[in-house]
Amino acid sequence: MVWTVVGPLLAGLIACPLSAHLVSRGRWQIRHPRRALMVWASVGVVGLVIAIASILLAAALSLSASSASAAAEGLALTFIAWAGLGGLGIVGSLAHLGRVDPGKDDDERPSVAEMLSRRRTDSWQVGAVAVVEIEDSRYVAVAVPGATPSIFVSRAVRHALPPSYLSAVLAHEAAHLDQLHALVRGVGAWHVACLPKRSRLRRELASRIMLLTELAADDVAAEKVGPAHLHDALVALHHLAPSRELEVRAARVRALHRTYPLPQGRVLVASLPGQRLQRKQR
C-alpha cells in the first residue's frame, strides 16, 4: 500500500528537475521556442498534479489503516502525508517569487512601474492594444498586461526607428501580450525558486525561460511584418543600444529565414540620438 503512494510521488517530484532539463538542455528549443515552453509547462503541471494526488491519497489511506498488521504502513503513510503537506506549503510560499515585473528583464531595462511614471507624449491603437509613447531617452518598449493591455514605447525608439522597424517592435511586444508571456515568466520564476539555490540548472532555467519567450515573440512578429523588417529592427536596436541578446536574435532570424531578401553590403548605421537610422551601401 505504501508503494502505491511512494511510486507516483517520486515520479511527481522528479518532474520538477526533469521539466527544467527538457527546456534548458540542448539546442532544439531555440528553433521551436513555443513547443519547448509547452513541453516544460506540460511536464511540470502533470508532475505537480501527480505529487498532490499522491499526498492526498497517502492522507486518505492513513486514516483507513486500522488493523494491527497495517499499523506500520499507517504510520509511514501518515508521515508521507504530513511531510508532503508541509512540502506543498513551502512550495506554495515561494509562489510570490513568481510575481515578476514583466518589464524587468535585466538591469538596463526599466520596470513597468518606472515607465508608468514617465510623462506620456502620444498614444495610438494597434489592433486591440493601446500603444503609449513616453518621454524616455532609452531605447525601450515594454508590453504591460492587465485589464487593458498596452505597450509602452520610449520616444527615443519611435523617433530613431523607421515605421517598418517600429511596426516589428510593436508586433513583438503585442505577441508577449497575446501569448501571456508575463504569466509564463512568473511561473518560470516560481519554478526557479523551487530548485536548489546554487544549482547550475536553476541558473540555466531562469535564462532559458526569458530567452524562449523573446524568441517566441520574434516568431510571431516575423509572421506579421516579415522576417526582413524584424531582422533589420533587431540590428537597428543593437546599433543604438548594443546587446548580446539582440545580436543573437537577429542571427537566429537570419538562419531561420535564409530566403528573405537582404542584399549583401547593406548595413544599418545609427545616427545621432533622436534622428532616424540611415541605410548606406558599402
Side-chain angles (χ1 to χ4, degrees):
M1 190 163 57
V2 173
W3 287 107
T4 305
V5 174
V6 173
L9 180 59
L10 289 177
L13 294 177
I14 290 173
C16 180
L18 175 61
S19 61
H21 275 284
L22 289 174
V23 79
S24 60
R25 301 292 168 85
R27 304 288 299 174
W28 68 272
Q29 307 94 335
I30 304 302
R31 189 182 247 321
H32 306 287
R34 290 191 67 184
R35 188 180 304 172
L37 290 171
M38 289 180 64
V39 169
W40 161 70
S42 299
V43 173
V45 168
V46 169
L48 182 61
V49 169
I50 291 175
I52 293 175
S54 300
I55 292 169
L56 295 178
L57 178 61
L61 292 176
S62 66
L63 294 176
S64 63
S66 56
S67 62
S69 60
E73 286 189 345
L75 183 61
L77 290 170
T78 300
F79 174 78
I80 292 173
W82 280 108
L85 290 173
L88 289 178
I90 294 173
V91 169
S93 68
L94 298 174
H96 73 281
L97 296 177
R99 298 172 187 170
V100 295
D101 184 338
K104 197 65 174 176
D105 297 346
D106 51 55
D107 294 335
E108 297 180 356
R109 190 166 185 174
S111 66
V112 169
E114 183 181 351
M115 298 198 78
L116 288 172
S117 67
R118 298 287 184 179
R119 184 173 69 89
R120 303 185 181 191
T121 54
D122 197 3
S123 64
W124 66 97
Q125 287 286 133
V126 175
V129 180
V131 182
V132 180
E133 179 189 280
I134 59 171
E135 187 67 56
D136 198 309
S137 59
R138 290 168 291 187
Y139 301 98
V140 291
V142 173
V144 182
T148 55
S150 55
I151 299 172
F152 281 71
V153 58
S154 68
R155 191 177 182 185
V157 164
R158 188 180 181 188
H159 282 255
L161 298 183
S164 59
Y165 295 8
L166 182 61
S167 295
V169 172
L170 296 180
H172 172 92
E173 296 301 328
H176 282 315
L177 297 173
D178 292 339
Q179 297 184 5
L180 305 178
H181 284 164
L183 176 61
V184 173
R185 291 173 179 179
V187 174
W190 177 54
H191 191 177
V192 167
C194 295
L195 295 173
K197 277 190 175 182
R198 297 183 180 179
S199 68
R200 179 182 175 184
L201 183 60
R202 178 181 176 129
R203 296 191 301 271
E204 290 177 346
L205 178 62
S207 60
R208 187 57 68 95
I209 292 296
M210 193 65 65
L211 175 62
L212 291 180
T213 53
E214 292 296 331
L215 300 185
D218 279 347
D219 289 344
V220 174
E223 292 177 3
K224 288 186 176 181
V225 303
H229 289 317
L230 174 63
H231 172 270
D232 287 353
L234 292 172
V235 172
L237 289 172
H238 176 62
H239 275 282
L240 293 168
S243 164
R244 175 62 179 165
E245 179 193 296
L246 291 171
E247 191 175 13
V248 169
R249 287 165 55 193
R252 175 179 177 269
V253 174
R254 242 182 355 256
L256 292 180
H257 305 275
R258 297 180 185 273
T259 58
Y260 76 84
L262 185 62
Q264 287 189 351
R266 187 183 73 174
V267 295
L268 294 168
V269 180
S271 55
L272 295 174
Q275 296 179 351
R276 293 189 181 277
L277 291 170
Q278 304 292 327
R279 284 191 182 89
K280 293 185 179 180
Q281 296 290 334
R282 290 179 181 174

